[in-house]
Amino acid sequence: MFDPMPLSIIEHYAYCPRQAALIHVEGLWSANADTARGEANHAAVDRGVRSESRAGLVTWASLPVWSERLNLSGVCDAVEIVDGAPVPIEHKPRHNGRLMAPAAQQLAAQALCLEEMWGCHILTAALFTRADRRRHEIAIDAALRTATEATIRSCHSLLYDRALPPVLEDRRCAGCSLAEVCGVELPDPDETSLFTPQTEGVW
Ligand code: SF4
């Protein structure tokens, strides 16, 4: 049995398998990873902080979660307790259509962990976008569960095989923070429709 896989790989893989490999296999974010590790250590001090609003809503901040079935572990930004059941909340800087589907899988993975820990069934989770202070409800439905479990299996295979997936060369690359080290050749924005707005889900 390997060490538990970090939850964060799911969102990276759902966005781009190569990005997940660059970060989690090649360690190309080593400087950032060190920073993240420092923050994680700091967060560990504050982990599991429970608060209760005047309306009686209980929220746990930075709550560690894990799943033995999926060999997965991580930390939820926040978990609200609604009618005795946990609702994971992921915080994002702003709403970004391209990132919402990968973020939804990340939330679904958190929900799967919480279900195993709590012995419950979770129907919804939420993304909270700080820029507009909006809450976006995410249904943890059968389709999302199936997609997320498939991604989790692919992530385990990636960490086992340690092979670098091919570059995407699509619109995701234009917004990728690893484009400079990935090896992808970004086309001239003046000569391509790469930056032309597309409907959500079309890369
Ligand atoms: S630049 Fe493109 S192929 Fe490379 S990691 Fe980013 S999204 Fe993936």
Side-chain angles (χ1 to χ4, degrees):
M1 175 72 83
F2 293 100
D3 288 340
M5 185 168 71
L7 263 165
S8 59
I9 192 176
I10 295 162
E11 185 168 2
H12 297 144
Y13 191 98
Y15 185 78
C16 167
R18 187 176 178 89
Q19 186 191 78
L22 290 171
I23 295 169
H24 297 274
V25 176
E26 306 272 328
L28 271 185
W29 258 359
S30 55
N32 287 347
D34 286 340
T35 308
R37 224 171 280 128
E39 288 171 359
N41 288 340
H42 181 259
V45 176
D46 305 323
R47 272 183 190 175
V49 175
R50 181 186 187 278
S51 64
E52 187 165 346
S53 73
R54 263 183 274 173
L57 178 67
V58 171
T59 304
W60 290 86
S62 302
L63 188 69
V65 294
W66 60 89
S67 164
E68 289 187 15
R69 178 176 72 86
L70 300 168
N71 198 22
L72 199 60
S73 72
V75 177
C76 291
D77 285 343
V79 176
E80 290 178 356
I81 309 302
V82 179
D83 296 330
V87 176
I89 318 286
E90 180 84 356
H91 287 235
K92 295 289 176 196
R94 63 188 61 80
H95 188 279
N96 181 332
R98 285 185 207 172
L99 300 180
M100 292 309 258
Q105 288 202 24
Q106 182 88 357
L107 267 170
Q110 293 176 9
L112 292 169
C113 290
L114 286 163
E115 286 181 342
E116 187 176 315
M117 295 166 65
W118 240 267
C120 64
H121 184 74
I122 295 175
L123 297 175
T124 61
L127 281 169
F128 180 78
T129 45
R130 288 195 293 271
D132 54 5
R133 301 194 59 75
R134 281 193 58 200
R135 180 180 170 121
H136 310 265
E137 299 292 326
I138 307 288
I140 309 297
D141 57 18
L144 181 56
R145 287 169 185 271
T146 300
T148 302
E149 293 223 12
T151 299
I152 291 169
R153 286 194 295 276
S154 297
C155 290
H156 279 299
S157 297
L158 178 76
L159 294 182
Y160 181 79
D161 297 335
R162 308 185 73 77
L164 193 60
V167 295
L168 295 175
E169 293 187 329
D170 66 20
R171 294 168 51 78
R172 277 167 282 191
C173 301
C176 176
S177 56
L178 293 184
E180 282 189 12
V181 294
C182 156
V184 68
E185 287 191 21
L186 290 179
D188 184 337
D190 295 333
E191 298 175 4
T192 178
S193 61
L194 189 66
F195 296 92
T196 305
Q198 299 278 346
T199 53
E200 193 168 326
V202 175
W203 300 114

